[in-house]
């Protein structure tokens, strides 16, 4: 009886020790051992990313800005003398050449004034020639020669003034253009037509495309550069930059830029909306896929690349031009290995398995 009790007590004690050993001495199960082995294998295998080698090339930047067309010249033709408008030779929309007669004012007494001045000139010249011989021979004092020459010059000046006044009665086009508006009618007159508006002319050849450029974009625009102009009507034209303002507008803080467009047929109208594509100075840049751009942990825009040891590094960049699928950026060293797939799943300093894809080549533009 005593032996059986001792045996039972021993069995209970052994069971208690076995149960306690499971809590005090941890051991791995078969499933945990498999998980550990799998984890060790994953830690040893680096994350795979696709990288592409880039190149830095000179790139001619362009930017588009809205503007408008503007006639090269605007002028209001006015009468320079008095009289009644007797003949009007133009209509609205008519093309005129330089020197063409626009209007004729009544002559009044201008022809008579010219005839009178011509007669005085003839008289003074004849008198001078008749007395020159007597003066040179000493019969008349030499001082009279100077007086007669002065009288002749005064008469010639009066004739020139009379002829100029006569010419003012004929109004002519100062340069070739198109009649934009006619402000008078035949027979119209006031106390004096002097200073009275007759017609408005615009010159359509060349035509100007005018844009206002921000100060940050002004540095790359140079006189003589070629710019492309896209009209709202769908037409396209190209011309040279002929003027870049050196003073900003006090209200908009922008600078006026003028592009001269050939317009011999007058097909480009004045004041139409246009988009002007202006070239900027070339800069060294890299062409990368738009999808490769990412943000750092601090929120900076850039690219992730791998160094010679396949370690990830973040390169901040600046965007200078945006295309449909690619972007031109600065700040990336030449021959960089940029991560183009998987860049959002790795971090700086991490070693990766870099798989190369065809090199990203860029042609200088």
């Amino acid at each position: 009886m005593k032996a059986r009790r001792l045996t039972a007590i021993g069995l209970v004690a052994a069971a208690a020790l076995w149960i306690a050993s499971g809590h005090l001495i941890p051991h791995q199960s078969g499933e945990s051992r498999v998980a550990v082995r799998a984890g060790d294998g994953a830690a040893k295998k680096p994350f795979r990313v696709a990288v592409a080698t880039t190149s830095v090339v000179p790139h001619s930047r362009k930017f588009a800005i809205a503007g408008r067309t503007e006639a090269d010249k605007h002028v209001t033709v006015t009468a320079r003398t008095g009289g009644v408008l007797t003949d009007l030779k133009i209509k609205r929309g008519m093309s005129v050449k330089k020197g063409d007669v626009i209007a004729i004012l009544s002559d009044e007494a201008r022809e008579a004034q010219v005839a009178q001045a011509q007669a005085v000139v003839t008289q003074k010249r004849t008198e001078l020639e008749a007395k020159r011989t007597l003066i040179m021979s000493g019969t008349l004092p030499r001082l009279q020669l100077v007086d007669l020459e002065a009288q002749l010059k005064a008469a010639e000046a009066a004739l020139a003034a009379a002829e100029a006044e006569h010419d003012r009665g004929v109004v002519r086009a100062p340069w070739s253009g198109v009649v934009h508006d006619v402000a008078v009618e035949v027979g119209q007159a006031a106390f004096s037509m002097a200073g009275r508006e007759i017609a408005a002319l615009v010159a359509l050849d060349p035509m100007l495309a005018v844009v206002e450029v921000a100060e940050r974009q002004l540095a790359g625009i140079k006189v003589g550069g070629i710019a492309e102009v896209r009209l709202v009507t769908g037409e396209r034209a190209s011309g040279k930059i002929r003027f870049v303002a050196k003073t900003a507008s006090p209200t908009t803080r922008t600078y006026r830029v003028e592009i001269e467009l050939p317009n011999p047929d007058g097909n480009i109208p004045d004041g139409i909306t246009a988009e002007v594509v202006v070239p900027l100075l070339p800069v060294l840049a890299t062409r990368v896929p738009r999808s490769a751009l990412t943000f750092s942990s601090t929120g900076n825009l850039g690219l992730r690349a791998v160094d010679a040891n396949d370690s990830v590094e973040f390169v901040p960049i600046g965007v200078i031009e945006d295309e449909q699928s690619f972007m031109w950026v600065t700040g990336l060293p030449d021959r960089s290995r940029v991560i183009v797939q998987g860049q959002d799943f790795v971090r700086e300093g991490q070693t990766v398995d870099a798989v190369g894809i065809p090199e990203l080549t860029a042609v200088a533009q």
Side-chain angles (χ1 to χ4, degrees):
M1 186 70 181
K2 194 173 185 178
R4 287 198 298 271
R5 183 178 295 177
L6 291 174
T7 302
I9 292 172
L11 291 174
V12 171
L17 290 174
W18 179 76
I19 293 172
S21 67
H23 293 280
L24 298 175
I25 305 175
H27 61 278
Q28 294 179 337
S29 64
E31 293 179 355
S32 64
R33 287 193 295 271
V34 172
V36 170
R37 286 196 297 269
D40 292 342
K44 293 179 181 179
K45 185 177 182 181
F47 189 82
R48 178 174 293 180
V49 295
V51 298
T53 303
T54 60
S55 57
V56 177
V57 297
H59 174 63
S60 297
R61 300 169 293 164
K62 297 179 181 179
F63 77 96
I65 185 171
R68 68 189 185 282
T69 60
E70 186 176 295
D72 186 28
K73 299 175 184 176
H74 292 80
V75 70
T76 299
V77 181
T78 59
R80 296 185 298 161
T81 188
V84 177
L85 183 62
T86 58
D87 194 2
L88 188 63
K89 297 184 177 295
I90 56 172
K91 294 181 180 179
R92 184 179 298 175
M94 179 184 295
S95 297
V96 294
K97 300 293 184 181
K98 181 179 179 179
D100 286 353
V101 176
I102 294 178
I104 299 177
L105 300 176
S106 61
D107 184 60
E108 302 274 334
R110 282 187 285 272
E111 286 189 2
Q113 292 173 355
V114 171
Q116 181 181 2
Q118 286 176 338
V120 174
V121 169
T122 302
Q123 176 189 355
K124 296 300 181 182
R125 182 177 290 115
T126 302
E127 186 177 352
L128 174 62
E129 294 301 326
K131 293 184 178 181
R132 185 187 298 274
T133 304
L134 296 175
I135 295 172
M136 297 305 295
S137 64
T139 306
L140 295 176
R142 193 174 185 84
L143 185 61
Q144 286 192 11
L145 178 62
V146 177
D147 185 47
L148 292 173
E149 289 176 345
Q151 292 180 19
L152 175 60
K153 290 181 179 179
E156 290 174 344
L159 174 61
E163 290 175 341
E165 180 64 20
H166 179 268
D167 291 341
R168 292 190 186 101
V170 179
V171 183
R172 300 180 182 273
W175 30 255
S176 300
V178 176
V179 179
H180 176 65
D181 192 22
V182 179
V184 293
E185 297 290 344
V186 173
Q188 187 173 354
F191 178 75
S192 175
M193 282 289 290
R196 184 68 179 272
E197 178 182 342
I198 293 183
L201 299 182
V202 294
L204 300 181
D205 185 27
M207 179 62 68
L208 302 181
V210 180
V211 293
E212 298 290 336
V213 178
E215 56 188 7
R216 289 176 297 179
Q217 300 167 322
L218 186 66
I221 302 176
K222 300 298 180 184
V223 174
I226 303 298
E228 181 183 358
V229 179
R230 306 166 186 167
L231 304 179
V232 71
T233 57
E235 299 179 59
R236 293 172 177 259
S238 61
K240 289 186 177 181
I241 300 174
R242 79 170 194 181
F243 173 73
V244 179
K246 300 301 182 182
T247 304
S249 168
T251 55
T252 62
R253 303 301 304 168
T254 56
Y255 294 80
R256 179 183 174 97
V257 177
E258 296 179 359
I259 297 92
E260 184 176 302
L261 305 174
N263 191 32
D265 300 327
N267 295 329
I268 303 177
D270 177 26
I272 193 170
T273 302
E275 182 185 52
V276 179
V277 181
V278 181
L280 302 178
L281 293 178
V283 296
L284 294 177
T286 305
R287 187 170 181 258
V288 297
R290 175 193 289 269
S291 58
L293 270 66
T294 186
F295 289 93
S296 67
S297 56
T298 57
N300 295 323
L301 179 65
L303 296 163
R304 286 194 171 92
V306 294
D307 58 16
N309 299 321
D310 288 343
S311 178
V312 178
E313 58 183 3
F314 182 83
V315 182
I317 52 94
V319 178
I320 63 170
E321 188 171 351
D322 189 358
E323 296 180 351
Q324 185 173 4
S325 300
F326 291 85
M327 302 187 79
W328 288 91
V329 301
T330 58
L332 194 65
D334 193 25
R335 310 305 297 173
S336 295
R337 294 197 298 161
V338 176
I339 303 177
V340 295
Q341 292 180 6
Q343 69 275 11
D344 292 326
F345 300 98
V346 295
R347 290 294 177 264
E348 292 75 24
Q350 180 180 344
T351 302
V352 295
D353 180 13
V355 178
I357 64 172
E359 181 176 336
L360 292 176
T361 56
V363 179
Q365 298 181 354

